[in-house]
Amino acid sequence: MLDNIKLAADAATLSPIALFLQADWVVKGVMIGLLLASVYVWAVIFTHGRGVGKMMRASDQFERDFWRAENIDKFYDKNSTEELPSAKVLAAGISEWRRSTKGKVVDRDGTRERLGIAMNAAVEGEVDRLAEKIGTLATIGAVAPFVGLFGTVWGIMRAFTEIAAQNNSSLAVVAPGIAEALFATAIGLFAAIPAVIAYNAFSQRLNRLESRLGRFADGLHATFSRELEVDA
């Protein structure tokens, strides 16, 4: 009976909450920072993941509607306020087209080149804008394990200090400090693993989006080029 009570007390002492409360203030700071980083990671996963999925579906519909449109200028004037990446690429192309063809003499080769540059810049700008939101995930995924390791090293140093102070190397003296130290590493991995997985998944989606926008820009460039040939 007494042994069961002692085991229950030891289990409670090694619970996550107890490990946090018993930890050194440095280890506590590491744990709090890693927990906040973990909360941020999951917030980005849910908000950015849902937002990117919705944006890609809307962009797909926008591009289908564009290729079905009979008049590009009317379609653009109707949808010029859209904030979709495809709409930004179209806006860059239309804007450059109108500037390059408003004169009496049109430099066709120069117009084609400027159209390609403008739309490619729009593609890169949209990808960079979306990549900014997931850059922190890569940072957390790379740094969090080392921050947790710092907490572990500090906790182990504290455990050895306790051994020296009490002149006792029994498991009862060593275990709490070692457990606190390893708990910091566990929290670091808890923050880092989802961050790395999410970053890789979002990067793949951004690569697909970049390829898709590039194809859309190429299609627009071909359409404008044919229009230049008709005008000639």
Side-chain angles (χ1 to χ4, degrees):
M1 181 68 177
L2 292 175
D3 291 339
N4 292 334
I5 295 175
K6 185 176 184 300
L7 290 173
D10 291 341
T13 302
L14 297 178
S15 68
I17 296 177
L19 290 174
F20 173 78
L21 294 176
Q22 296 169 8
D24 181 76
W25 65 272
V26 174
V27 181
K28 281 183 180 178
V30 169
M31 290 180 181
I32 291 173
L34 292 173
L35 287 173
L36 292 176
S38 179
V39 171
Y40 175 83
V41 166
W42 286 104
V44 172
I45 289 174
F46 286 114
T47 58
H48 188 66
R50 183 173 59 183
V52 169
K54 182 178 179 181
M55 179 202 66
M56 293 186 72
R57 290 190 296 271
S59 293
D60 182 58
Q61 184 62 49
F62 179 89
E63 292 176 22
R64 286 200 300 266
D65 292 342
F66 171 78
W67 293 120
R68 292 171 185 167
E70 297 180 357
N71 188 296
I72 293 178
D73 287 322
K74 289 183 179 179
F75 179 87
Y76 172 72
D77 293 337
K78 181 180 178 181
N79 299 276
S80 59
T81 59
E82 291 284 350
E83 294 296 324
L84 299 172
S86 299
K88 296 295 183 63
V89 175
L90 175 61
I94 291 290
S95 178
E96 183 57 43
W97 169 265
R98 290 178 177 178
R99 286 196 299 267
S100 297
T101 59
K102 66 180 180 181
K104 294 181 179 180
V105 179
V106 177
D107 180 3
R108 290 174 175 79
D109 291 336
T111 298
R112 290 188 179 94
E113 183 177 355
R114 288 190 294 270
L115 284 169
I117 293 173
M119 289 187 291
N120 287 335
V123 171
E124 293 175 1
E126 288 302 300
V127 173
D128 289 343
R129 180 178 63 85
L130 293 172
E132 288 179 359
K133 298 180 180 179
I134 66 171
T136 308
L137 294 180
T139 302
I140 292 175
V143 173
F146 294 101
V147 175
L149 183 60
F150 169 76
T152 297
V153 172
W154 188 275
I156 291 175
M157 290 170 58
R158 180 170 175 264
F160 282 119
T161 303
E162 290 292 329
I163 293 173
Q166 298 185 26
N167 196 22
N168 187 351
S169 60
S170 67
L171 185 62
V173 175
V174 177
I178 299 297
E180 295 163 12
L182 295 177
F183 188 49
T185 298
I187 297 177
L189 295 176
F190 182 74
I193 292 173
V196 172
I197 293 174
Y199 177 78
N200 291 333
F202 288 144
S203 295
Q204 291 178 359
R205 297 179 77 174
L206 282 179
N207 290 336
R208 292 197 299 269
L209 177 63
E210 184 176 10
S211 299
R212 180 176 176 172
L213 290 176
R215 291 191 297 270
F216 182 61
D218 290 341
L220 285 175
H221 193 274
T223 301
F224 290 132
S225 294
R226 286 193 296 269
E227 189 67 25
L228 286 172
E229 293 173 0
V230 170
D231 292 342

